[in-house]
PDB file of all heavy atoms in Angstrom:
ATOM      1  N   ILE A 282      11.391-108.009  -1.822  1.00  0.00           N
ATOM      2  CA  ILE A 282      12.083-106.888  -1.188  1.00  0.00           C
ATOM      3  C   ILE A 282      13.132-106.314  -2.132  1.00  0.00           C
ATOM      4  O   ILE A 282      13.310-105.093  -2.221  1.00  0.00           O
ATOM      5  CB  ILE A 282      12.700-107.329   0.151  1.00  0.00           C
ATOM      6  CG1 ILE A 282      11.585-107.587   1.184  1.00  0.00           C
ATOM      7  CG2 ILE A 282      13.672-106.264   0.687  1.00  0.00           C
ATOM      8  CD1 ILE A 282      12.065-108.197   2.482  1.00  0.00           C
ATOM      9  N   ASP A 283      13.823-107.169  -2.871  1.00  0.00           N
ATOM     10  CA  ASP A 283      14.786-106.683  -3.867  1.00  0.00           C
ATOM     11  C   ASP A 283      14.102-105.787  -4.898  1.00  0.00           C
ATOM     12  O   ASP A 283      14.630-104.737  -5.285  1.00  0.00           O
ATOM     13  CB  ASP A 283      15.448-107.863  -4.585  1.00  0.00           C
ATOM     14  CG  ASP A 283      16.544-108.501  -3.740  1.00  0.00           C
ATOM     15  OD1 ASP A 283      16.894-107.929  -2.697  1.00  0.00           O
ATOM     16  OD2 ASP A 283      17.038-109.582  -4.128  1.00  0.00           O
ATOM     17  N   GLN A 284      12.915-106.205  -5.328  1.00  0.00           N
ATOM     18  CA  GLN A 284      12.165-105.414  -6.309  1.00  0.00           C
ATOM     19  C   GLN A 284      11.739-104.073  -5.716  1.00  0.00           C
ATOM     20  O   GLN A 284      11.826-103.027  -6.367  1.00  0.00           O
ATOM     21  CB  GLN A 284      10.944-106.201  -6.786  1.00  0.00           C
ATOM     22  CG  GLN A 284      11.285-107.450  -7.596  1.00  0.00           C
ATOM     23  CD  GLN A 284      10.084-108.360  -7.789  1.00  0.00           C
ATOM     24  OE1 GLN A 284       8.975-108.051  -7.349  1.00  0.00           O
ATOM     25  NE2 GLN A 284      10.311-109.494  -8.443  1.00  0.00           N
ATOM     26  N   LEU A 285      11.301-104.101  -4.453  1.00  0.00           N
ATOM     27  CA  LEU A 285      10.842-102.867  -3.811  1.00  0.00           C
ATOM     28  C   LEU A 285      11.989-101.887  -3.596  1.00  0.00           C
ATOM     29  O   LEU A 285      11.804-100.669  -3.688  1.00  0.00           O
ATOM     30  CB  LEU A 285      10.173-103.188  -2.469  1.00  0.00           C
ATOM     31  CG  LEU A 285       8.867-104.007  -2.534  1.00  0.00           C
ATOM     32  CD1 LEU A 285       8.310-104.236  -1.137  1.00  0.00           C
ATOM     33  CD2 LEU A 285       7.835-103.310  -3.406  1.00  0.00           C
ATOM     34  N   LEU A 286      13.168-102.418  -3.329  1.00  0.00           N
ATOM     35  CA  LEU A 286      14.315-101.539  -3.109  1.00  0.00           C
ATOM     36  C   LEU A 286      14.734-100.803  -4.374  1.00  0.00           C
ATOM     37  O   LEU A 286      15.459 -99.804  -4.300  1.00  0.00           O
ATOM     38  CB  LEU A 286      15.493-102.344  -2.556  1.00  0.00           C
ATOM     39  CG  LEU A 286      15.360-102.822  -1.109  1.00  0.00           C
ATOM     40  CD1 LEU A 286      16.556-103.679  -0.713  1.00  0.00           C
ATOM     41  CD2 LEU A 286      15.214-101.647  -0.154  1.00  0.00           C
ATOM     42  N   ALA A 287      14.281-101.296  -5.523  1.00  0.00           N
ATOM     43  CA  ALA A 287      14.583-100.620  -6.791  1.00  0.00           C
ATOM     44  C   ALA A 287      13.693 -99.404  -7.003  1.00  0.00           C
ATOM     45  O   ALA A 287      13.965 -98.562  -7.870  1.00  0.00           O
ATOM     46  CB  ALA A 287      14.435-101.594  -7.958  1.00  0.00           C
ATOM     47  N   LEU A 288      12.633 -99.298  -6.198  1.00  0.00           N
ATOM     48  CA  LEU A 288      11.726 -98.152  -6.295  1.00  0.00           C
ATOM     49  C   LEU A 288      12.330 -96.935  -5.600  1.00  0.00           C
ATOM     50  O   LEU A 288      13.251 -97.059  -4.797  1.00  0.00           O
ATOM     51  CB  LEU A 288      10.382 -98.498  -5.637  1.00  0.00           C
ATOM     52  CG  LEU A 288       9.580 -99.660  -6.230  1.00  0.00           C
ATOM     53  CD1 LEU A 288       8.379 -99.967  -5.338  1.00  0.00           C
ATOM     54  CD2 LEU A 288       9.133 -99.340  -7.644  1.00  0.00           C
ATOM     55  N   PRO A 289      11.814 -95.739  -5.869  1.00  0.00           N
ATOM     56  CA  PRO A 289      12.233 -94.550  -5.115  1.00  0.00           C
ATOM     57  C   PRO A 289      11.993 -94.773  -3.617  1.00  0.00           C
ATOM     58  O   PRO A 289      11.028 -95.457  -3.237  1.00  0.00           O
ATOM     59  CB  PRO A 289      11.335 -93.445  -5.669  1.00  0.00           C
ATOM     60  CG  PRO A 289      10.957 -93.923  -7.032  1.00  0.00           C
ATOM     61  CD  PRO A 289      10.846 -95.404  -6.940  1.00  0.00           C
ATOM     62  N   PRO A 290      12.837 -94.219  -2.756  1.00  0.00           N
ATOM     63  CA  PRO A 290      12.752 -94.474  -1.307  1.00  0.00           C
ATOM     64  C   PRO A 290      11.368 -94.262  -0.711  1.00  0.00           C
ATOM     65  O   PRO A 290      10.905 -95.064   0.101  1.00  0.00           O
ATOM     66  CB  PRO A 290      13.766 -93.488  -0.716  1.00  0.00           C
ATOM     67  CG  PRO A 290      14.758 -93.292  -1.809  1.00  0.00           C
ATOM     68  CD  PRO A 290      13.984 -93.352  -3.089  1.00  0.00           C
ATOM     69  N   GLU A 291      10.682 -93.165  -1.118  1.00  0.00           N
ATOM     70  CA  GLU A 291       9.370 -92.897  -0.522  1.00  0.00           C
ATOM     71  C   GLU A 291       8.346 -93.963  -0.913  1.00  0.00           C
ATOM     72  O   GLU A 291       7.429 -94.275  -0.150  1.00  0.00           O
ATOM     73  CB  GLU A 291       8.871 -91.500  -0.916  1.00  0.00           C
ATOM     74  CG  GLU A 291       8.667 -91.282  -2.418  1.00  0.00           C
ATOM     75  CD  GLU A 291       9.936 -90.909  -3.153  1.00  0.00           C
ATOM     76  OE1 GLU A 291      11.019 -90.916  -2.518  1.00  0.00           O
ATOM     77  OE2 GLU A 291       9.846 -90.597  -4.360  1.00  0.00           O
ATOM     78  N   GLU A 292       8.526 -94.562  -2.083  1.00  0.00           N
ATOM     79  CA  GLU A 292       7.598 -95.604  -2.531  1.00  0.00           C
ATOM     80  C   GLU A 292       7.892 -96.947  -1.873  1.00  0.00           C
ATOM     81  O   GLU A 292       6.984 -97.648  -1.430  1.00  0.00           O
ATOM     82  CB  GLU A 292       7.661 -95.745  -4.061  1.00  0.00           C
ATOM     83  CG  GLU A 292       7.105 -94.568  -4.836  1.00  0.00           C
ATOM     84  CD  GLU A 292       7.111 -94.815  -6.333  1.00  0.00           C
ATOM     85  OE1 GLU A 292       6.871 -95.984  -6.742  1.00  0.00           O
ATOM     86  OE2 GLU A 292       7.378 -93.872  -7.092  1.00  0.00           O
ATOM     87  N   HIS A 293       9.184 -97.314  -1.819  1.00  0.00           N
ATOM     88  CA  HIS A 293       9.445 -98.642  -1.245  1.00  0.00           C
ATOM     89  C   HIS A 293       9.157 -98.682   0.256  1.00  0.00           C
ATOM     90  O   HIS A 293       8.847 -99.732   0.809  1.00  0.00           O
ATOM     91  CB  HIS A 293      10.852 -99.159  -1.606  1.00  0.00           C
ATOM     92  CG  HIS A 293      12.013 -98.512  -0.917  1.00  0.00           C
ATOM     93  ND1 HIS A 293      13.145 -98.107  -1.587  1.00  0.00           N
ATOM     94  CD2 HIS A 293      12.253 -98.227   0.377  1.00  0.00           C
ATOM     95  CE1 HIS A 293      14.022 -97.623  -0.728  1.00  0.00           C
ATOM     96  NE2 HIS A 293      13.497 -97.669   0.458  1.00  0.00           N
ATOM     97  N   SER A 294       9.240 -97.539   0.930  1.00  0.00           N
ATOM     98  CA  SER A 294       8.866 -97.502   2.348  1.00  0.00           C
ATOM     99  C   SER A 294       7.394 -97.853   2.526  1.00  0.00           C
ATOM    100  O   SER A 294       7.019 -98.635   3.412  1.00  0.00           O
ATOM    101  CB  SER A 294       9.139 -96.115   2.932  1.00  0.00           C
ATOM    102  OG  SER A 294      10.515 -95.810   2.898  1.00  0.00           O
ATOM    103  N   ILE A 295       6.561 -97.289   1.687  1.00  0.00           N
ATOM    104  CA  ILE A 295       5.119 -97.551   1.753  1.00  0.00           C
ATOM    105  C   ILE A 295       4.819 -99.005   1.418  1.00  0.00           C
ATOM    106  O   ILE A 295       4.030 -99.683   2.079  1.00  0.00           O
ATOM    107  CB  ILE A 295       4.358 -96.603   0.803  1.00  0.00           C
ATOM    108  CG1 ILE A 295       4.511 -95.152   1.276  1.00  0.00           C
ATOM    109  CG2 ILE A 295       2.893 -96.993   0.724  1.00  0.00           C
ATOM    110  CD1 ILE A 295       3.986 -94.121   0.291  1.00  0.00           C
ATOM    111  N   GLU A 296       5.475 -99.525   0.374  1.00  0.00           N
ATOM    112  CA  GLU A 296       5.228-100.899  -0.051  1.00  0.00           C
ATOM    113  C   GLU A 296       5.715-101.905   0.987  1.00  0.00           C
ATOM    114  O   GLU A 296       5.091-102.953   1.190  1.00  0.00           O
ATOM    115  CB  GLU A 296       5.909-101.156  -1.396  1.00  0.00           C
ATOM    116  CG  GLU A 296       5.324-100.373  -2.551  1.00  0.00           C
ATOM    117  CD  GLU A 296       3.850-100.686  -2.771  1.00  0.00           C
ATOM    118  OE1 GLU A 296       3.487-101.888  -2.727  1.00  0.00           O
ATOM    119  OE2 GLU A 296       3.070 -99.734  -2.965  1.00  0.00           O
ATOM    120  N   LEU A 297       6.826-101.607   1.644  1.00  0.00           N
ATOM    121  CA  LEU A 297       7.321-102.507   2.688  1.00  0.00           C
ATOM    122  C   LEU A 297       6.361-102.594   3.865  1.00  0.00           C
ATOM    123  O   LEU A 297       6.185-103.655   4.473  1.00  0.00           O
ATOM    124  CB  LEU A 297       8.700-102.043   3.163  1.00  0.00           C
ATOM    125  CG  LEU A 297       9.876-102.403   2.256  1.00  0.00           C
ATOM    126  CD1 LEU A 297      11.118-101.626   2.655  1.00  0.00           C
ATOM    127  CD2 LEU A 297      10.165-103.900   2.298  1.00  0.00           C
ATOM    128  N   LEU A 298       5.725-101.471   4.171  1.00  0.00           N
ATOM    129  CA  LEU A 298       4.748-101.470   5.264  1.00  0.00           C
ATOM    130  C   LEU A 298       3.598-102.430   4.993  1.00  0.00           C
ATOM    131  O   LEU A 298       3.044-103.044   5.905  1.00  0.00           O
ATOM    132  CB  LEU A 298       4.202-100.062   5.484  1.00  0.00           C
ATOM    133  CG  LEU A 298       5.028 -99.138   6.376  1.00  0.00           C
ATOM    134  CD1 LEU A 298       4.462 -97.730   6.344  1.00  0.00           C
ATOM    135  CD2 LEU A 298       5.029 -99.662   7.804  1.00  0.00           C
ATOM    136  N   LYS A 299       3.273-102.603   3.725  1.00  0.00           N
ATOM    137  CA  LYS A 299       2.140-103.460   3.352  1.00  0.00           C
ATOM    138  C   LYS A 299       2.423-104.936   3.638  1.00  0.00           C
ATOM    139  O   LYS A 299       1.493-105.727   3.787  1.00  0.00           O
ATOM    140  CB  LYS A 299       1.808-103.266   1.871  1.00  0.00           C
ATOM    141  CG  LYS A 299       1.267-101.874   1.533  1.00  0.00           C
ATOM    142  CD  LYS A 299       0.987-101.748   0.030  1.00  0.00           C
ATOM    143  CE  LYS A 299       0.476-100.356  -0.318  1.00  0.00           C
ATOM    144  NZ  LYS A 299       0.246-100.205  -1.784  1.00  0.00           N
ATOM    145  N   ILE A 300       3.701-105.306   3.673  1.00  0.00           N
ATOM    146  CA  ILE A 300       4.026-106.720   3.911  1.00  0.00           C
ATOM    147  C   ILE A 300       4.610-106.945   5.305  1.00  0.00           C
ATOM    148  O   ILE A 300       5.169-107.996   5.597  1.00  0.00           O
ATOM    149  CB  ILE A 300       5.001-107.255   2.834  1.00  0.00           C
ATOM    150  CG1 ILE A 300       6.294-106.445   2.818  1.00  0.00           C
ATOM    151  CG2 ILE A 300       4.352-107.237   1.468  1.00  0.00           C
ATOM    152  CD1 ILE A 300       7.365-107.026   1.904  1.00  0.00           C
ATOM    153  N   LYS A 301       4.476-105.946   6.175  1.00  0.00           N
ATOM    154  CA  LYS A 301       5.051-106.017   7.521  1.00  0.00           C
ATOM    155  C   LYS A 301       4.559-107.243   8.292  1.00  0.00           C
ATOM    156  O   LYS A 301       5.355-107.979   8.883  1.00  0.00           O
ATOM    157  CB  LYS A 301       4.706-104.748   8.295  1.00  0.00           C
ATOM    158  CG  LYS A 301       5.188-104.733   9.742  1.00  0.00           C
ATOM    159  CD  LYS A 301       4.857-103.410  10.400  1.00  0.00           C
ATOM    160  CE  LYS A 301       5.331-103.352  11.834  1.00  0.00           C
ATOM    161  NZ  LYS A 301       4.525-104.203  12.727  1.00  0.00           N
ATOM    162  N   LYS A 302       3.270-107.491   8.278  1.00  0.00           N
ATOM    163  CA  LYS A 302       2.706-108.594   9.055  1.00  0.00           C
ATOM    164  C   LYS A 302       3.239-109.942   8.571  1.00  0.00           C
ATOM    165  O   LYS A 302       3.587-110.813   9.372  1.00  0.00           O
ATOM    166  CB  LYS A 302       1.179-108.567   8.969  1.00  0.00           C
ATOM    167  CG  LYS A 302       0.491-109.580   9.869  1.00  0.00           C
ATOM    168  CD  LYS A 302      -1.018-109.419   9.827  1.00  0.00           C
ATOM    169  CE  LYS A 302      -1.698-110.412  10.750  1.00  0.00           C
ATOM    170  NZ  LYS A 302      -3.187-110.277  10.721  1.00  0.00           N
ATOM    171  N   GLU A 303       3.294-110.111   7.243  1.00  0.00           N
ATOM    172  CA  GLU A 303       3.790-111.368   6.685  1.00  0.00           C
ATOM    173  C   GLU A 303       5.261-111.585   7.028  1.00  0.00           C
ATOM    174  O   GLU A 303       5.678-112.703   7.360  1.00  0.00           O
ATOM    175  CB  GLU A 303       3.614-111.375   5.162  1.00  0.00           C
ATOM    176  CG  GLU A 303       2.168-111.455   4.696  1.00  0.00           C
ATOM    177  CD  GLU A 303       1.538-110.076   4.543  1.00  0.00           C
ATOM    178  OE1 GLU A 303       2.085-109.119   5.133  1.00  0.00           O
ATOM    179  OE2 GLU A 303       0.520-109.962   3.841  1.00  0.00           O
ATOM    180  N   ILE A 304       6.044-110.514   6.983  1.00  0.00           N
ATOM    181  CA  ILE A 304       7.470-110.617   7.310  1.00  0.00           C
ATOM    182  C   ILE A 304       7.652-111.016   8.776  1.00  0.00           C
ATOM    183  O   ILE A 304       8.482-111.873   9.108  1.00  0.00           O
ATOM    184  CB  ILE A 304       8.191-109.274   7.035  1.00  0.00           C
ATOM    185  CG1 ILE A 304       8.193-108.975   5.534  1.00  0.00           C
ATOM    186  CG2 ILE A 304       9.595-109.295   7.586  1.00  0.00           C
ATOM    187  CD1 ILE A 304       8.938-109.983   4.708  1.00  0.00           C
ATOM    188  N   GLU A 305       6.890-110.413   9.668  1.00  0.00           N
ATOM    189  CA  GLU A 305       7.008-110.734  11.086  1.00  0.00           C
ATOM    190  C   GLU A 305       6.667-112.197  11.340  1.00  0.00           C
ATOM    191  O   GLU A 305       7.288-112.852  12.187  1.00  0.00           O
ATOM    192  CB  GLU A 305       6.091-109.820  11.904  1.00  0.00           C
ATOM    193  CG  GLU A 305       6.593-108.380  11.969  1.00  0.00           C
ATOM    194  CD  GLU A 305       5.635-107.460  12.702  1.00  0.00           C
ATOM    195  OE1 GLU A 305       4.473-107.882  12.927  1.00  0.00           O
ATOM    196  OE2 GLU A 305       6.033-106.340  13.046  1.00  0.00           O
ATOM    197  N   GLU A 306       5.703-112.728  10.607  1.00  0.00           N
ATOM    198  CA  GLU A 306       5.334-114.141  10.764  1.00  0.00           C
ATOM    199  C   GLU A 306       6.462-115.046  10.269  1.00  0.00           C
ATOM    200  O   GLU A 306       6.811-116.046  10.907  1.00  0.00           O
ATOM    201  CB  GLU A 306       4.042-114.428   9.993  1.00  0.00           C
ATOM    202  CG  GLU A 306       3.608-115.894  10.015  1.00  0.00           C
ATOM    203  CD  GLU A 306       3.338-116.415  11.409  1.00  0.00           C
ATOM    204  OE1 GLU A 306       2.925-115.638  12.284  1.00  0.00           O
ATOM    205  OE2 GLU A 306       3.555-117.631  11.618  1.00  0.00           O
ATOM    206  N   LEU A 307       7.058-114.698   9.136  1.00  0.00           N
ATOM    207  CA  LEU A 307       8.141-115.517   8.579  1.00  0.00           C
ATOM    208  C   LEU A 307       9.404-115.458   9.440  1.00  0.00           C
ATOM    209  O   LEU A 307      10.219-116.382   9.401  1.00  0.00           O
ATOM    210  CB  LEU A 307       8.468-115.059   7.156  1.00  0.00           C
ATOM    211  CG  LEU A 307       7.460-115.439   6.072  1.00  0.00           C
ATOM    212  CD1 LEU A 307       7.857-114.823   4.743  1.00  0.00           C
ATOM    213  CD2 LEU A 307       7.361-116.955   5.930  1.00  0.00           C
ATOM    214  N   ASN A 308       9.554-114.400  10.201  1.00  0.00           N
ATOM    215  CA  ASN A 308      10.738-114.282  11.054  1.00  0.00           C
ATOM    216  C   ASN A 308      10.752-115.313  12.172  1.00  0.00           C
ATOM    217  O   ASN A 308      11.786-115.541  12.813  1.00  0.00           O
ATOM    218  CB  ASN A 308      10.813-112.872  11.663  1.00  0.00           C
ATOM    219  CG  ASN A 308      11.439-111.873  10.716  1.00  0.00           C
ATOM    220  OD1 ASN A 308      12.170-112.233   9.805  1.00  0.00           O
ATOM    221  ND2 ASN A 308      11.148-110.597  10.916  1.00  0.00           N
ATOM    222  N   ARG A 309       9.608-115.956  12.430  1.00  0.00           N
ATOM    223  CA  ARG A 309       9.520-116.935  13.499  1.00  0.00           C
ATOM    224  C   ARG A 309       9.583-118.342  12.924  1.00  0.00           C
ATOM    225  O   ARG A 309       8.662-118.795  12.255  1.00  0.00           O
ATOM    226  CB  ARG A 309       8.224-116.743  14.302  1.00  0.00           C
ATOM    227  CG  ARG A 309       8.160-115.435  15.077  1.00  0.00           C
ATOM    228  CD  ARG A 309       6.981-115.436  16.035  1.00  0.00           C
ATOM    229  NE  ARG A 309       5.727-115.294  15.331  1.00  0.00           N
ATOM    230  CZ  ARG A 309       5.136-114.135  15.075  1.00  0.00           C
ATOM    231  NH1 ARG A 309       5.725-113.012  15.441  1.00  0.00           N
ATOM    232  NH2 ARG A 309       3.993-114.091  14.438  1.00  0.00           N
ATOM    233  N   HIS A 310      10.685-119.046  13.176  1.00  0.00           N
ATOM    234  CA  HIS A 310      10.827-120.461  12.819  1.00  0.00           C
ATOM    235  C   HIS A 310      10.454-120.730  11.364  1.00  0.00           C
ATOM    236  O   HIS A 310       9.490-121.429  11.063  1.00  0.00           O
ATOM    237  CB  HIS A 310       9.954-121.327  13.740  1.00  0.00           C
ATOM    238  CG  HIS A 310      10.261-121.122  15.189  1.00  0.00           C
ATOM    239  ND1 HIS A 310      11.428-121.550  15.772  1.00  0.00           N
ATOM    240  CD2 HIS A 310       9.552-120.510  16.168  1.00  0.00           C
ATOM    241  CE1 HIS A 310      11.436-121.221  17.047  1.00  0.00           C
ATOM    242  NE2 HIS A 310      10.313-120.594  17.316  1.00  0.00           N
ATOM    243  N   SER A 311      11.238-120.180  10.456  1.00  0.00           N
ATOM    244  CA  SER A 311      10.903-120.303   9.032  1.00  0.00           C
ATOM    245  C   SER A 311      11.470-121.546   8.380  1.00  0.00           C
ATOM    246  O   SER A 311      11.004-121.951   7.315  1.00  0.00           O
ATOM    247  CB  SER A 311      11.400-119.062   8.270  1.00  0.00           C
ATOM    248  OG  SER A 311      12.804-118.936   8.384  1.00  0.00           O
ATOM    249  N   ILE A 312      12.483-122.203   8.976  1.00  0.00           N
ATOM    250  CA  ILE A 312      13.076-123.359   8.283  1.00  0.00           C
ATOM    251  C   ILE A 312      13.106-124.636   9.120  1.00  0.00           C
ATOM    252  O   ILE A 312      13.666-125.635   8.692  1.00  0.00           O
ATOM    253  CB  ILE A 312      14.505-123.039   7.782  1.00  0.00           C
ATOM    254  CG1 ILE A 312      15.432-122.652   8.927  1.00  0.00           C
ATOM    255  CG2 ILE A 312      14.473-121.949   6.717  1.00  0.00           C
ATOM    256  CD1 ILE A 312      16.888-122.449   8.484  1.00  0.00           C
ATOM    257  N   CYS A 313      12.524-124.606  10.319  1.00  0.00           N
ATOM    258  CA  CYS A 313      12.361-125.862  11.066  1.00  0.00           C
ATOM    259  C   CYS A 313      11.224-125.689  12.060  1.00  0.00           C
ATOM    260  O   CYS A 313      10.711-124.581  12.263  1.00  0.00           O
ATOM    261  CB  CYS A 313      13.652-126.267  11.780  1.00  0.00           C
ATOM    262  SG  CYS A 313      14.047-125.326  13.249  1.00  0.00           S
TER     263      CYS A 313
END
């Protein structure tokens, strides 16, 4: 995400959408 934020706004928005599903999964009980 840090790398994507270095991109132009219109590009990092598109790239973030590509990892949406993985992020939602990690948001649930990631450390226990």
Side-chain angles (χ1 to χ4, degrees):
I282 290 172
D283 281 351
Q284 293 167 2
L285 295 181
L286 288 177
L288 299 173
E291 62 276 5
E292 291 184 36
H293 73 226
S294 297
I295 295 171
E296 293 300 316
L297 281 167
L298 275 172
K299 293 179 181 178
I300 59 173
K301 177 177 180 288
K302 186 175 181 180
E303 291 89 341
I304 294 297
E305 288 176 346
E306 176 61 30
L307 286 175
N308 277 338
R309 294 190 287 269
H310 304 290
S311 61
I312 59 175
C313 75

